[in-house]
């Protein structure tokens, strides 16, 4: 071995070669294939844009992404690729091979007939097939994004009235599922307790998937574990947090991104120490899930031109509840 690699000033690549050389010389050829693959420390998370429907926003562009979602991903150590709704199926398949996860944001679109739903369904099908084949790919849905995940899994829209508008709530955690979940794994004990006792989750929705509906649907029961529920203003008990049983798909009916990146005084955005910590840990969790994906851009220039850094957010406080919005 010293003849193969004399000297001590070697790079990590040399060290890896040295290990394999030792294995070859000792006859352990099979062990080389078992060496761990390097982690993906440059994850790119795709975010579907939404069509602009508000008249006040139409002069700025046809589609948009609130900047709070972009900051949320970036704060977890990821980068964002905005995904338009006007591309071909082949172009979406190529994007899927390049990104390391997907975020369905909140908003208001038809979850069955809109272009947003059509493109989301295509990516969901690709992610389902990939994960089943051992090609790790996570999806996160926030508010409408979680509702969309239930539509995709159930094959139909099962939403009903579950109004919790401008309301911060603690989570009513399911004891066994929440405690053993991937999403909350590693939470400090103090924060996990606070999650069930303090109003850390901002809710801004009129609809949801009720617990009764969820329990009555076999597809949803087989696919997801319920981590928490809450009671809406109209008395309906709705599912507020869920995660895939075997697939890395996650949904929250509430908005973790607002805890750190939205500040409208008229909105119930939780900004306490625990609320900020919750948002931070969940952003890191999902980005870490993206690090498990080995999808990548083949061309660095194409990668650079695809990222959100090519666009400047618009200051939107005077025309929306958001501080900043990206338009496309």
């Amino acid at each position: 071995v010293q003849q193969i690699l004399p000297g001590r000033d070697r790079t990590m690549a040399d060290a890896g070669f040295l290990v394999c050389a030792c294995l070859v010389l000792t006859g352990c050829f099979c062990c080389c294939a078992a060496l761990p693959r390097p982690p993906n420390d440059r994850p790119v998370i795709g975010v579907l844009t939404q069509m602009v429907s508000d008249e006040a926003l139409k002069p700025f562009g046809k589609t948009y992404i609130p900047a709070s979602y972009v900051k949320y991903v970036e704060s977890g150590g990821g980068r964002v690729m905005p995904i338009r709704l006007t591309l071909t199926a082949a172009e979406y398949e190529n994007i899927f091979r390049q990104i390391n996860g997907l975020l369905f944001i909140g908003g208001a679109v038809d979850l069955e007939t809109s272009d947003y739903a059509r493109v989301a369904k295509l990516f969901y099908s690709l992610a389902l097939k990939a994960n089943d084949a051992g090609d790790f790919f996570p999806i996160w849905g926030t508010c409408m994004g979680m509702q969309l995940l239930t539509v995709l899994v159930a094959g139909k829209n099962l939403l009903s009235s579950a109004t919790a508008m401008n309301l911060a709530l603690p989570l009513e955690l399911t004891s066994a599922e929440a405690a053993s979940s991937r999403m909350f794994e590693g939470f400090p004990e103090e924060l996990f307790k606070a999650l069930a006792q303090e109003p850390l989750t901002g809710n801004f929705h009129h609809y949801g998937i009720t617990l009764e509906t969820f329990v009555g649907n076999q597809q949803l029961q087989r696919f997801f574990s319920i981590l928490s529920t809450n009671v809406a203003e109209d008395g309906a008990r709705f599912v507020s947090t869920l995660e895939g049983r075997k697939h890395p798909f996650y949904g929250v009916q509430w908005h973790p991104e607002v805890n750190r990146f939205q500040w409208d005084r008229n909105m119930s955005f939780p900004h306490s120490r625990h609320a900020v910590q919750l948002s931070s840990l969940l952003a890191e969790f999902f980005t870490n899930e993206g690090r498990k994906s080995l999808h990548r851009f083949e061309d660095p220039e194409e990668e650079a031109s695809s990222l959100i850094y090519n666009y400047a957010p618009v200051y939107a406080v005077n025309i929306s509840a958001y501080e900043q919005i990206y338009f496309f």
Side-chain angles (χ1 to χ4, degrees):
V1 174
Q2 289 179 348
Q3 291 177 347
I4 296 173
L5 290 175
R8 307 175 71 176
D9 185 15
R10 295 298 174 193
T11 64
M12 289 302 294
D14 291 334
F17 175 76
L18 176 59
V19 171
C20 283
C22 291
L23 294 171
V24 170
L25 291 174
T26 57
C28 297
F29 300 102
C30 61
C31 296
C32 284
L35 290 175
R37 303 182 72 171
N40 173 17
D41 286 336
R42 300 176 60 84
V44 175
I45 305 300
V47 180
L48 293 193
T49 62
Q50 287 194 42
M51 296 297 297
V52 173
S53 58
D54 192 320
E55 291 296 327
L57 303 181
K58 286 184 177 180
F60 299 96
K62 294 183 178 180
T63 61
Y64 75 100
I65 298 174
S68 53
Y69 291 99
V70 175
K71 295 175 183 179
Y72 179 72
V73 172
E74 291 178 343
S75 70
R79 297 170 295 162
V80 167
M81 177 183 180
I83 302 176
R84 292 174 173 77
L85 306 179
T86 55
L87 306 180
T88 66
E91 288 173 313
Y92 289 129
E93 290 175 8
N94 184 56
I95 290 173
F96 180 75
R97 291 189 292 268
Q98 296 169 326
I99 61 177
N100 307 110
L102 191 64
L103 172 61
F104 296 149
I105 66 176
V109 303
D110 189 296
L111 298 181
E112 294 179 290
T113 64
S114 65
D115 285 336
Y116 189 92
R118 174 183 58 83
V119 176
K121 184 177 182 179
L122 191 154
F123 275 103
Y124 168 78
S125 297
L126 291 171
L128 202 62
K129 182 178 179 181
N131 281 293
D132 287 342
D135 177 14
F136 193 92
F137 188 91
I139 297 178
W140 181 284
T142 291
C143 197
M144 184 194 74
M146 175 183 140
Q147 297 169 2
L148 177 58
L149 279 175
T150 68
V151 172
L152 292 170
V153 170
K156 55 185 175 181
N157 191 335
L158 297 173
L159 301 178
S160 58
S161 177
T163 299
M165 196 60 179
N166 199 20
L167 188 63
L169 296 169
L171 295 180
E172 298 182 38
L173 298 170
T174 53
S175 56
E177 291 85 354
S180 62
S181 68
R182 301 185 300 276
M183 187 185 297
F184 299 140
E185 183 181 11
F187 269 34
E189 184 177 352
E190 179 186 346
L191 177 61
F192 193 72
K193 288 182 179 179
L195 193 56
Q197 298 172 356
E198 301 175 14
L200 306 183
T201 66
N203 290 262
F204 303 89
H205 55 90
H206 293 288
Y207 300 95
I209 187 83
T210 66
L211 179 60
E212 181 181 7
T213 298
F214 184 100
V215 171
N217 185 273
Q218 292 185 357
Q219 289 95 329
L220 291 176
Q221 278 218 77
R222 285 196 299 262
F223 196 93
F224 289 116
S225 294
I226 297 176
L227 306 189
S228 75
T229 63
N230 281 99
V231 177
E233 295 170 67
D234 56 9
R237 180 167 292 278
F238 63 93
V239 177
S240 50
T241 312
L242 48 75
E243 72 177 19
R245 294 185 183 275
K246 72 171 186 175
H247 295 85
F249 299 168
Y250 307 91
V252 291
Q253 187 59 69
W254 38 283
H255 289 260
E257 79 286 347
V258 305
N259 294 12
R260 290 185 293 166
F261 302 116
Q262 290 186 210
W263 296 93
D264 190 322
R265 293 181 181 274
N266 298 315
M267 308 298 281
S268 295
F269 298 146
H271 294 306
S272 70
R273 176 174 66 89
H274 283 144
V276 170
Q277 186 181 19
L278 170 64
S279 175
S280 177
L281 289 179
L282 289 181
E284 291 180 12
F285 165 75
F286 185 61
T287 305
N288 285 336
E289 290 289 273
R291 286 190 172 90
K292 301 175 186 177
S293 167
L294 299 180
H295 294 192
R296 65 186 181 90
F297 287 82
E298 296 293 339
D299 181 358
E301 292 186 5
E302 181 184 5
E303 177 181 0
S305 65
S306 299
L307 299 178
I308 197 74
Y309 308 125
N310 293 280
Y311 305 89
V314 173
Y315 181 68
V317 167
N318 297 327
I319 54 176
S320 76
Y322 301 111
E323 265 64 33
Q324 296 174 307
I325 302 175
Y326 287 92
F327 291 95
F328 309 93

